[in-house]
Amino acid sequence: MHADGAERLSFAEKLAVEAGQLAKSYLQRDDLGVRSKGVLDWVTEADLATERLIRRGIRSAYPSDRIVGEEEGGESARTGTKGATWVVDPIDGTTCFVSGLPSWCVSIACVDEAGRAFLGVVHDPSGAETFSALAGHGLTVNGHRISVPDKGITDGLVGVGHPRGTPGEPTLSFLRRLFAAGGLFYNSGSAALSLAYVASGRLVGFYESELRAWDALAGEVLVRESGGWSSDFMGNGLLTTSQPMLAANRACVAALWDLAEGVLEGWSRPERYDRQ
Ligand code: IPD
Ligand code: CA
Ligand code: CA
């Protein structure tokens, strides 16, 4: 972890709020400048301008750090590279943003030289909430300390995302298993926000079969720091490949793992579900 972690966290919180204000201001415009990147996959002027703002902020505060962002890309940042890497999604939930739905957010994470995500900020401009965490220091929501209540799979909703433009599997198998276990799903349309909801106890867990680092890393830090369990997105040291993601409060990790294990080849069951 970086010695200046607390300073970085406060910098990232302010930057995420500023980025959220800029993105939100685009909703007042008649034309969002929407362009298609694929099936149900859009980029707007707001995504591009917001990523530019975030990059400018990071470059001026931490000129020697690397940046990986959804819209402008960046290096694959294998573990072992020097310095910190910021991983940013200017708008996570663009489909909601374009559709006039409130669930989208700004997501900012920072990864250290060993490839460990040590800082995560998810800012929700619609709800005016900032979820933030630094490894070893716990989760705060708008500055207030929060920890995950341990609830079972049938005591709350499980966030489930589906990577658009992909076949129904393995999401459908996961959902079938979830329903058979008596659970229900919720899709916020933003993976980063869903992970923030797991961290703050509003969802009991979250599963998506394919995410990118900018969707997952900030939320992963939030979940761990709230006392929950999250799969390790950076386990292979790469930022640019997609990975499955599972996160949950400790009371339902085992049950969710069983649902996911059957549909995800090559996952090995974690031995401990307690704080990592
Ligand atoms: C998407 C959202 C969505 C998830 C997709 C992501 P974007 O990110 O997080 O919830 O299901 O897999 O790509 O495109 O809105 O930044
Ligand atoms: Ca995203
Ligand atoms: Ca995005």
Side-chain angles (χ1 to χ4, degrees), residues 220-270:
E220 177 179 318
V221 181
L222 299 180
V223 171
R224 288 189 180 159
E225 286 306 311
S226 69
W229 183 91
S230 164
S231 53
D232 180 10
F233 193 92
M234 284 296 290
N236 68 0
L238 284 174
L239 280 171
T240 47
T241 52
S242 50
Q243 304 280 343
M245 182 81 196
L246 183 72
N249 74 60
R250 273 175 288 166
C252 71
V253 181
L256 278 187
W257 187 273
D258 288 342
L259 304 185
E261 193 179 30
V263 295
L264 292 169
E265 299 272 320
W267 272 34
S268 50
R269 194 182 173 87

Side-chain angles (χ1 to χ4, degrees), residues 47 70-71 89-94 214:
D47 296 79
E70 172 161 17
E71 306 307 340
D89 194 339
I91 298 182
D92 186 58
T94 299
W214 42 77

Side-chain angles (χ1 to χ4, degrees), residues 61-168:
Y62 299 100
S64 56
D65 286 3
R66 278 179 306 281
I67 308 171
V68 174
E70 172 161 17
E71 306 307 340
E72 292 182 35
E75 301 165 48
S76 66
R78 278 179 184 277
T79 48
T81 49
K82 283 238 170 299
T85 303
W86 294 87
V87 184
V88 303
D89 194 339
I91 298 182
D92 186 58
T94 299
T95 311
C96 297
F97 183 82
V98 165
S99 307
L101 290 165
S103 60
W104 54 275
C105 63
V106 178
S107 174
I108 300 180
C110 202
V111 177
D112 66 17
E113 290 184 10
R116 182 159 180 261
F118 67 92
L119 172 164
V121 174
V122 168
H123 174 65
D124 165 12
S126 314
E129 286 190 307
T130 306
F131 303 83
S132 69
L134 182 66
H137 292 262
L139 167 78
T140 61
V141 182
N142 285 352
H144 301 290
R145 213 149 271 289
I146 298 267
S147 67
V148 177
D150 284 342
K151 288 194 207 159
I153 202 171
T154 53
D155 297 326
L157 299 170
V158 177
V160 179
H162 178 71
R164 68 197 144 221
T166 65

Side-chain angles (χ1 to χ4, degrees), residues 31-52:
D31 182 7
L32 282 173
V34 182
R35 282 190 283 119
S36 173
K37 296 199 281 186
V39 182
L40 278 174
D41 190 4
W42 296 298
V43 60
T44 70
E45 286 303 322
D47 296 79
L48 300 172
T50 306
E51 184 160 326
R52 283 196 296 270

